[in-house]
């Protein structure tokens, strides 16, 4: 049995991921819903990518952004689930030091990318509703590509310092990480040094990304609501608002678990550690699972494309 009390690792070549402290006996049972969510995320997001590529009716800015979101969700969920299942199923707790840094980078960078893509999707809804006649001329394929690249580069650039800051600290206390994955603060808390710069930079990046993105999304929807409520009929207002339903659901699915996980981790000392870890995992697994379901159910073009796909396969 793996000894989690090992200490004195001045420069560890590996870290030991405990899993969910206090719930070790339930790891097998906890893995079942996590594995189910991962399979649902894989199938749903791959299906979104496939029908967006094959269905000409979906070759529009909103669905291009949705494809970018699907790729990001696949990267996020795949960054944590295989290793987590290795811990739960095979008790494979070790992770290479550089592998830990790589996992940390992908998780935090692509969380930032996803937030940026939600802003891009809000921009698409704003242009489609407030400037419908110019939608195709404003959001051309080249503009959509550039917006996607900006969202990607912002996430990568802002999160690149994290692994370098983590790498510079000495780890003389222990190499045991009380988590299911290499979460940034869970790792740096093991350092026997002043980690204030990590805490300050991490908090600053979160405030910058979330603050900027939520402000942009809010401004977009204020303009959208202003335009919608100036429409002449109730049916026109409801029909226009319905085109935003999927995006609003995805925004809530992403930001509410993220905010709750962040606030409980930073400011609540009375919530048990296993609750923090479960919330952190749910934040990374629930949105990738729900996003394709939300768009598949609420978006007519995707719904019809999926039906055509399966009807064609059956016939």
């Amino acid at each position: 049995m793996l000894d989690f009390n090992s200490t004195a690792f001045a420069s560890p070549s590996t870290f030991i991921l405990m899993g969910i402290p206090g719930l070790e006996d339930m790891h097998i049972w906890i893995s079942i819903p996590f594995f189910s969510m991962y399979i649902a995320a894989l199938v749903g997001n791959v299906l979104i990518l496939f029908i967006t590529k094959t269905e000409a009716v979906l070759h529009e800015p909103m669905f291009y952004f949705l494809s970018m979101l699907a790729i990001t969700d696949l990267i996020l969920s795949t960054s944590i689930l295989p290793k987590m299942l290795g811990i739960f199923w095979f008790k494979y707790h070790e992770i290479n030091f550089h592998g830990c840094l790589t996992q940390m980078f992908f998780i935090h960078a692509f969380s930032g990318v996803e937030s940026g893509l939600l802003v891009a999707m809000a921009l698409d809804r704003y242009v489609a509703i407030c400037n419908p006649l110019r939608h195709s001329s404003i959001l051309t394929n080249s503009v959509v590509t550039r917006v996607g690249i900006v969202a990607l580069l912002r996430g990568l650039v802002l999160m690149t310092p994290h692994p370098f800051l983590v790498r510079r600290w000495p780890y003389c206390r222990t190499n045991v990480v009380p988590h299911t994955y290499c979460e940034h603060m869970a790792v740096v808390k093991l350092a026997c040094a002043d980690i204030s710069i990590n805490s300050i930079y991490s908090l600053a990046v979160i405030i910058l990304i979330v603050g900027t993105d939520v402000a942009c999304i809010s401004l977009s929807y204020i303009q959208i609501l202003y335009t919608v409520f100036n429409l002449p009929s109730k049916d026109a207002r409801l029909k226009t608002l319905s085109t935003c339903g999927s995006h609003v659901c995805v925004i809530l699915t992403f930001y509410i678990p993220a905010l709750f996980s962040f606030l409980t981790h930073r400011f609540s000392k009375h919530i048990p550690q296993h609750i923090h870890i479960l919330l952190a995992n749910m934040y990374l697994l629930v949105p990738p699972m729900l996003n394709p379901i939300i768009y598949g159910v609420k978006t007519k073009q995707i719904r019809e494309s999926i039906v055509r796909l399966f009807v064609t396969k059956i016939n």
Side-chain angles (χ1 to χ4, degrees):
M1 183 177 177
L2 190 64
D3 179 15
F4 288 132
N5 294 318
S6 54
T7 55
F9 286 83
S11 182
S13 59
T14 61
F15 281 117
I16 306 296
L17 295 171
M18 287 181 66
I20 305 177
L23 298 180
E24 289 87 354
D25 294 338
M26 298 181 65
H27 277 176
I28 290 293
W29 298 107
I30 294 170
S31 72
I32 295 173
F34 282 3
F35 179 67
S36 301
M37 285 189 281
Y38 181 55
I39 293 300
L42 285 180
V43 173
N45 286 293
V46 168
L47 184 59
I48 290 290
L49 291 171
F50 178 77
I51 63 172
T52 302
K53 179 177 175 60
T54 56
E55 295 285 337
V57 70
L58 300 181
H59 293 173
E60 298 179 5
M62 180 176 79
F63 301 109
Y64 290 144
F65 287 132
L66 180 58
S67 295
M68 297 176 194
L69 188 70
I71 293 170
T72 303
D73 283 339
L74 288 171
I75 293 172
L76 272 176
S77 54
T78 303
S79 295
I80 66 165
L81 232 295
K83 179 58 187 175
M84 190 191 307
L85 294 178
I87 296 169
F88 289 169
W89 290 351
F90 308 111
K91 301 189 183 302
Y92 186 67
H93 295 266
E94 290 189 2
I95 183 169
N96 179 273
F97 181 75
H98 295 289
C100 182
L101 297 183
T102 301
Q103 184 189 54
M104 179 190 303
F105 173 74
F106 271 84
I107 291 169
H108 293 290
F110 281 92
S111 293
V113 172
E114 178 145 350
S115 183
L117 289 174
L118 293 179
V119 176
M121 296 169 85
L123 172 65
D124 170 73
R125 291 299 83 207
Y126 165 75
V127 176
I129 293 172
C130 299
N131 295 283
L133 298 179
R134 300 181 58 204
H135 183 253
S136 59
S137 61
I138 293 175
L139 289 178
T140 62
N141 288 346
S142 61
V143 170
V144 170
T145 301
R146 287 199 291 269
V147 170
I149 290 173
V150 168
L152 175 64
L153 290 179
R154 186 192 67 160
L156 298 181
V157 170
L158 288 178
M159 296 303 174
T160 294
H162 273 145
F164 289 100
L165 289 172
V166 172
R167 188 179 180 182
R168 66 193 289 249
W169 303 127
Y171 295 87
C172 56
R173 295 171 182 166
T174 180
N175 68 337
V176 177
V177 181
H179 216 294
T180 54
Y181 61 86
C182 289
E183 195 271 331
H184 174 246
M185 291 308 298
V187 173
V188 297
K189 284 179 179 179
L190 305 180
C192 47
D194 182 6
I195 60 169
S196 299
I197 186 172
N198 291 74
S199 300
I200 293 170
Y201 183 77
S202 177
L203 186 60
V205 168
I206 291 171
I207 292 173
L208 175 64
I209 290 178
V210 176
T212 302
D213 292 354
V214 169
C216 290
I217 291 170
S218 300
L219 288 173
S220 296
Y221 273 95
I222 288 170
Q223 292 295 319
I224 287 170
L225 290 173
Y226 178 79
T227 301
V228 167
F229 286 116
N230 282 325
L231 293 175
S233 69
K234 181 179 179 181
D235 287 342
R237 290 194 290 270
L238 291 175
K239 184 177 180 180
T240 304
L241 281 176
S242 68
T243 65
C244 300
S246 299
H247 184 238
V248 172
C249 290
V250 167
I251 289 171
L252 296 177
T253 300
F254 179 76
Y255 283 115
I256 289 177
L259 181 63
F260 193 67
S261 176
F262 171 76
L263 291 176
T264 55
H265 184 74
R266 291 269 177 179
F267 303 112
S268 179
K269 306 300 182 184
H270 305 293
I271 296 178
Q273 188 177 36
H274 64 268
I275 299 297
H276 288 298
I277 295 172
L278 286 170
L279 286 172
N281 284 288
M282 297 295 284
Y283 152 61
L284 293 175
L285 291 175
V286 171
M289 176 191 69
L290 289 183
N291 289 348
I293 295 174
I294 291 169
Y295 272 95
V297 170
K298 296 183 72 68
T299 307
K300 181 180 178 182
Q301 298 98 312
I302 293 179
R303 198 166 58 242
E304 291 177 345
S305 297
I306 293 173
V307 170
R308 279 197 299 272
L309 173 65
F310 284 101
V311 168
T312 303
K313 292 293 183 182
I314 292 173
N315 295 334

